[in-house]
Amino acid sequence: MINADASLAYAIFWVAYAVAFVIFFYMMKALFRYLPLYGLRTLLLSALVVALLTPVESLDVAGWWMPAWLFSGYELVLGDANDAARGLFNFGIAALVMVLVWILDLVRYRLVRK
């Protein structure tokens, strides 16, 4: 069982991570604004969302989630490819969902521009 201090640290981590992601996302959005193609801009922003916001459940504590890039990278450094594959599988699912959303956004963009 996890104590209250650990639960508080977990909540503080996710709040800080979310705030940092929002700031980083808007900075990258401002940088990508100079790219000429709408589809390329949104694809890069979608890849950023998938890379930084895909979660994976902790092996040690049920119900605790962590960023998949952090989990998979750590497990790959430790040499445990099976556990790293869990995070990479989550990346794959998130990427498929994001590609679908990206395509739907391109259709919406095309319909609105006409």
Side-chain angles (χ1 to χ4, degrees):
M1 191 69 185
I2 300 300
N3 62 13
D5 289 338
S7 294
L8 179 64
Y10 177 74
I12 290 171
F13 163 77
W14 276 111
V15 168
Y17 192 79
V19 169
F21 174 77
V22 167
I23 292 169
F24 184 66
F25 182 82
Y26 281 108
M27 289 172 56
M28 295 305 289
K29 189 174 180 179
L31 181 65
F32 292 157
R33 180 182 63 209
Y34 298 110
L35 294 175
L37 299 173
Y38 175 79
L40 180 61
R41 287 191 305 259
T42 56
L43 179 64
L44 290 173
L45 289 173
S46 298
L48 182 70
V49 168
V50 167
L52 296 179
L53 292 184
T54 301
V56 65
E57 190 171 10
S58 172
L59 294 173
D60 299 327
V61 181
W64 281 40
W65 294 81
M66 64 186 72
W69 65 268
L70 185 63
F71 176 80
S72 294
Y74 183 71
E75 293 299 330
L76 283 173
V77 167
L78 291 178
D80 194 354
N82 290 333
D83 287 336
R86 287 181 54 230
L88 296 176
F89 178 74
N90 285 9
F91 274 129
I93 291 174
L96 286 175
V97 169
M98 191 54 77
V99 164
L100 177 64
V101 170
W102 179 67
I103 290 171
L104 290 173
D105 181 55
L106 289 178
V107 169
R108 179 205 56 85
Y109 181 75
R110 172 113 180 175
L111 291 174
V112 169
R113 286 204 55 195
K114 283 191 172 198

